């Protein structure tokens, strides 16, 4: 295994045929003794309230302290003109050369090698992406209440749809049958996931289990993607997002980790405007980042290509996207 660490209802209408059916005498039915719709709604609401009460008891003093800490982090970033929401910022124009160069830095180089060695300028790496459909699965710890689960599911589903539209690859939120698992956990919950991880990514290295379990406070989220054997096509991915994050930091994590888990494995301080940059200037996927994903899933590229093999093709595609 190769491991890559990466910094409701629809109405169904029928046709009217214009022929009146023969009269039918309906037998009188006894008055229903089942619950009314109002009673069913109240029962559902009570189940949600009960789940929320349980979740509230799971929020420890440590977790509450972390919620306050990350809320302050978000406030300071916003005060410093970070976590920007503009998709096409006017102060950061891009051209084909910039796009191609950033793609090579982000998709074809690694900050860390498989043994954990750090490379300042990035070590050359083969092109990696998914060949099979990406089925995203969400798991929550007991501290996540009903409202939070519903909100995150909506955010992840929307971004999965966006990734599918950008790349043309099959990406969708599923329910319990995923190969790309996103774990939303409090600090205490995350420290108990060691035994769960091999079931999500068979053969996950011990060092990756430790890294996911023991995130330092300045890491808000992370993702690890894995291939099988010597393949460079991803088969599994696991992302961890802190449950204590405020809404914008959390949504930023969803964008970054899901996009990196598609195969844009590296970060670069030169990439702008981009979420693949540790400066936190942009919170959400930019037009620049969408183009990187388009290049990555262009059929003219294939998993396993070296930088030398891919570069001329990347430059050709970038020129087509930004003539």
């Amino acid at each position: 295994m190769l491991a890559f660490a990466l910094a409701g209802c629809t109405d169904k209408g029928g046709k009217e045929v214009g022929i009146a059916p023969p009269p039918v005498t309906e037998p009188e039915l006894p008055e229903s003794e089942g619950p009314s719709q109002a009673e069913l709604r109240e029962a559902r609401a009570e189940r949600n309230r009960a789940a929320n009460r349980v979740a509230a008891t799971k929020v420890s003093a440590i977790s509450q302290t972390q919620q306050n800490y990350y809320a302050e982090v978000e406030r300071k970033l916003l005060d410093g003109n970070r976590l920007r929401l503009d998709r096409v910022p006017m102060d950061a124009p891009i051209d084909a050369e910039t796009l191609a160069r950033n793609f090579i830095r982000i998709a074809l180089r690694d900050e860390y090698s498989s043994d954990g060695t750090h490379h300042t300028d990035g070590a050359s790496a083969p092109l990696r992406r998914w060949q099979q459909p990406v089925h995203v699965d969400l798991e929550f710890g007991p501290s996540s209440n009903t409202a939070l689960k519903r909100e995150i599911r909506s955010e992840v589903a929307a971004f999965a749809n966006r990734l599918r539209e950008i790349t043309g690859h099959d990406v969708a939120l599923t329910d319990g049958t995923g190969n790309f698992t996103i774990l939303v956990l409090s600090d205490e919950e995350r420290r108990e996931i060691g035994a769960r991880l091999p079931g999500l990514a068979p053969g996950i290295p011990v060092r990756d289990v430790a890294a996911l379990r023991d995130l330092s406070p300045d890491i808000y989220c992370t993702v690890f993607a894995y291939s099988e054997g010597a393949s460079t096509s991803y088969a599994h991915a696991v992302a961890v997002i802190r449950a204590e994050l405020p809404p914008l930091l959390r949504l930023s994590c969803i964008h970054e980790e899901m996009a990196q888990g598609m195969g844009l494995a590296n970060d670069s301080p030169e990439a702008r405007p981009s979420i693949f940059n540790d400066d936190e200037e942009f919170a959400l996927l930019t037009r620049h980042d969408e183009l990187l994903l388009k290049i990555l899933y262009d059929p003219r590229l294939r998993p396993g290509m070296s930088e030398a093999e891919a570069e001329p093709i990347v430059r050709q595609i970038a020129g087509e996207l930004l003539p």
Side-chain angles (χ1 to χ4, degrees):
M1 167 171 289
L2 292 180
F4 303 102
L6 317 176
C9 297
T10 301
D11 293 328
K12 297 181 179 179
K15 295 182 179 179
E16 294 184 1
V17 297
I19 302 175
V24 177
T25 302
E26 297 285 351
E28 291 188 7
L29 297 177
E31 196 171 303
S32 174
E33 296 180 358
S36 66
Q37 288 298 313
E39 290 170 329
L40 289 172
R41 285 194 296 271
E42 176 57 29
R44 184 165 58 248
E46 178 53 36
R47 287 196 299 271
N48 287 340
R49 288 192 292 268
N52 290 341
R53 287 193 294 270
V54 171
T57 66
K58 302 295 184 180
V59 178
S60 69
I62 294 175
S63 188
Q64 185 60 59
T65 298
Q66 288 198 326
Q67 287 182 30
N68 297 337
Y69 167 74
Y70 291 116
E72 181 65 11
V73 168
E74 181 177 285
R75 186 189 67 77
K76 288 184 176 181
L77 287 169
L78 289 169
D79 288 347
N81 197 30
R82 300 292 168 179
L83 298 180
R84 292 170 56 178
L85 302 179
D86 33 347
R87 175 174 167 269
V88 186
M90 300 304 294
D91 61 340
I94 57 172
D95 54 25
E97 173 61 28
T98 300
L99 182 65
R101 184 170 61 246
N102 287 343
F103 180 87
I104 291 167
R105 289 169 173 161
I106 292 169
L108 292 164
R109 292 182 188 167
D110 277 342
E111 184 177 2
Y112 295 93
S113 59
S114 59
D115 62 0
T117 302
H118 179 262
H119 302 278
T120 304
D121 297 322
S124 181
L127 186 140
R128 295 145 297 187
R129 69 184 186 195
W130 295 80
Q131 295 293 90
Q132 60 182 295
V134 180
H135 295 159
V136 183
D137 191 25
L138 268 168
E139 291 191 16
F140 298 89
S143 68
S144 294
N145 62 41
T146 302
L148 179 64
K149 292 177 182 178
R150 185 183 299 117
E151 186 174 356
I152 293 177
R153 287 191 66 84
S154 177
E155 292 168 342
V156 170
F159 194 62
N161 290 340
R162 186 173 170 191
L163 288 174
R164 182 175 66 247
E165 292 171 359
I166 293 168
T167 64
H169 193 73
D170 186 357
V171 186
L173 177 63
T174 59
D175 190 7
T177 57
N179 50 19
F180 190 133
T181 304
I182 300 176
L183 303 167
V184 181
L185 304 169
S186 71
D187 193 68
E188 296 99 319
E189 292 161 352
R190 196 192 65 255
R191 296 181 184 280
E192 302 298 325
I193 63 167
R196 177 78 180 99
L197 293 173
L200 302 175
I204 182 172
V206 173
R207 64 176 178 275
D208 292 358
V209 172
L212 289 166
R213 184 190 62 218
D214 303 327
L215 291 184
S216 64
D218 60 340
I219 298 178
Y220 316 139
C221 47
T222 191
V223 64
F224 285 73
Y226 303 92
S227 64
E228 293 180 341
S231 172
T232 49
S233 297
Y234 288 150
H236 304 279
V238 180
V240 170
I241 298 176
R242 292 179 179 274
E244 297 92 350
L245 295 179
L248 183 53
L249 271 181
R250 183 185 70 231
L251 184 57
S252 178
C253 274
I254 289 170
H255 278 223
E256 181 173 1
E257 306 313 337
M258 289 182 68
Q260 287 208 300
M262 293 293 291
L264 297 175
N266 198 18
D267 288 316
S268 170
E270 307 298 324
R272 184 176 187 266
S274 181
I275 60 173
F276 305 113
N277 187 319
D278 288 335
D279 64 3
E280 309 289 350
E281 181 180 8
F282 295 92
L284 309 180
L285 202 74
T286 65
R287 173 62 175 158
H288 166 273
D289 299 334
E290 293 173 353
L291 296 177
L292 294 181
L293 286 163
K294 281 183 178 290
I295 295 174
L296 179 62
Y297 281 84
D298 189 290
R300 286 167 286 186
L301 295 174
R302 65 180 186 277
M305 276 185 163
S306 67
E307 181 178 332
E309 292 172 314
E311 183 173 359
I313 302 172
V314 169
R315 293 189 179 279
Q316 177 186 351
I317 300 169
E320 294 169 0
L321 294 172
L322 293 173

